[in-house]
Amino acid sequence: MDKELHIEDIRTDYRLASLTEDSIDKDPIRQFEQWFEQAINAQVIEVNAMTLATVDADGSPSARIVLLKDIEDGAFVFYTNYNSQKAKEIATHPMVSLVFFWPDLQRQVRIKGTVEKVDKASSEAYFHSRPVGSQLGAWASPQSDVIPSRVFLEENLKEVSEKYKNQVVPKPPHWGGYKVTPSTIEFWQGRTNRLHDRILYSKNTSSAGWAINRLAP
């Protein structure tokens, strides 16, 4: 590493906005939708990118970036290969965390909840809305498996492209969506001197609605 680069000196003083109890929506999904719309309007790159964290049977964590594709009945929806590492870990332990980070707005959203597959009709509809190349890629890639080379993928793609030439590409049986139903959602707004605003919504277990609390930064 360049000796002139001092990682410990990299820092940003956050001053763009604040987050107060009297300014937020009482419903965290509506609050998320407001922030998401503001991120879109700010032209945040990959605004729907989110970190998905899972754990395996031994409690070992894994995290990767996936893309939010819908908010349905208060749940956050993404799509993937059902044979992938993440899918196997979800089958073993159906509790996950999601994190959105929008540095242009100095904001972060953390979500914790339960995860389950979406219905087949939703997976079919979304699959066929994708570019054809992405549809073919879902057949060509044995996601998370060890493969011998890049050529292996390219040959697979060539084979399925020929197989489904001039046809509607069917959705692979091992491909579809998941929805994360949140139990907690935390909104983080960067503030100066590291005294950030953190507002936590927790799903009430004994009644409808959400408890709202401020957390220390």
Side-chain angles (χ1 to χ4, degrees):
M1 184 176 294
D2 189 339
K3 292 183 179 180
E4 297 302 315
L5 175 64
H6 298 284
I7 295 176
E8 68 271 20
D9 292 334
I10 299 173
R11 58 177 55 88
T12 299
D13 190 23
Y14 301 116
R15 295 176 178 270
L16 283 182
S18 62
L19 185 65
T20 61
E21 288 84 345
D22 59 0
S23 69
I24 58 173
D25 198 289
K26 300 305 181 185
D27 185 310
I29 302 302
R30 289 198 296 265
Q31 180 65 37
F32 178 86
E33 290 172 339
Q34 291 174 21
W35 270 24
F36 193 79
E37 183 177 359
Q38 290 168 12
I40 291 173
N41 292 338
Q43 299 182 330
V44 172
I45 296 174
E46 295 278 23
V47 64
N48 60 332
M50 58 186 184
T51 300
L52 166 68
T54 56
V55 296
D56 65 16
D58 297 324
S60 180
S62 295
R64 75 289 289 161
I65 304 297
V66 297
L67 298 178
L68 176 71
K69 288 301 179 180
D70 198 7
I71 302 174
E72 177 184 283
D73 298 326
F76 297 81
V77 178
F78 66 94
Y79 292 85
T80 191
N81 186 311
Y82 287 151
N83 293 331
S84 64
Q85 177 184 345
K86 71 177 81 66
K88 292 173 183 176
E89 292 176 350
I90 285 170
T92 299
H93 189 82
M95 292 284 294
V96 301
S97 289
L98 304 173
V99 180
F100 293 85
F101 181 49
W102 300 315
D104 296 11
L105 299 178
Q106 300 175 354
R107 287 175 174 173
Q108 173 180 262
V109 182
R110 296 199 307 154
I111 299 162
K112 182 173 70 176
T114 56
V115 60
E116 61 183 318
K117 291 179 179 178
V118 304
D119 61 82
K120 185 178 179 180
S122 295
S123 291
E124 288 279 0
Y126 175 68
F127 181 81
H128 291 295
S129 75
R130 305 174 84 207
V132 172
S134 297
Q135 295 178 31
L136 293 169
W139 281 103
S141 175
Q143 191 175 122
S144 300
D145 286 359
V146 175
I147 58 174
S149 65
R150 174 78 189 184
V151 173
F152 172 85
L153 285 179
E154 294 169 350
E155 289 178 345
N156 278 0
L157 181 60
K158 183 178 179 180
E159 181 179 325
V160 295
S161 297
E162 187 61 32
K163 179 178 181 179
Y164 296 117
K165 186 176 181 180
N166 300 322
Q167 298 181 43
V168 173
V169 180
K171 183 188 76 65
H174 56 269
W175 191 97
Y178 286 101
K179 58 182 179 180
V180 178
T181 300
S183 56
T184 65
I185 304 181
E186 180 193 325
F187 294 85
W188 179 97
Q189 177 68 61
R191 298 294 302 276
T192 191
N193 298 322
R194 291 299 187 262
L195 295 180
H196 312 303
D197 289 324
R198 297 175 62 190
I199 302 295
L200 176 68
Y201 294 75
S202 302
K203 188 72 173 176
N204 289 325
T205 56
S206 58
S207 61
W210 298 80
I212 302 174
N213 291 285
R214 176 175 286 270
L215 303 180

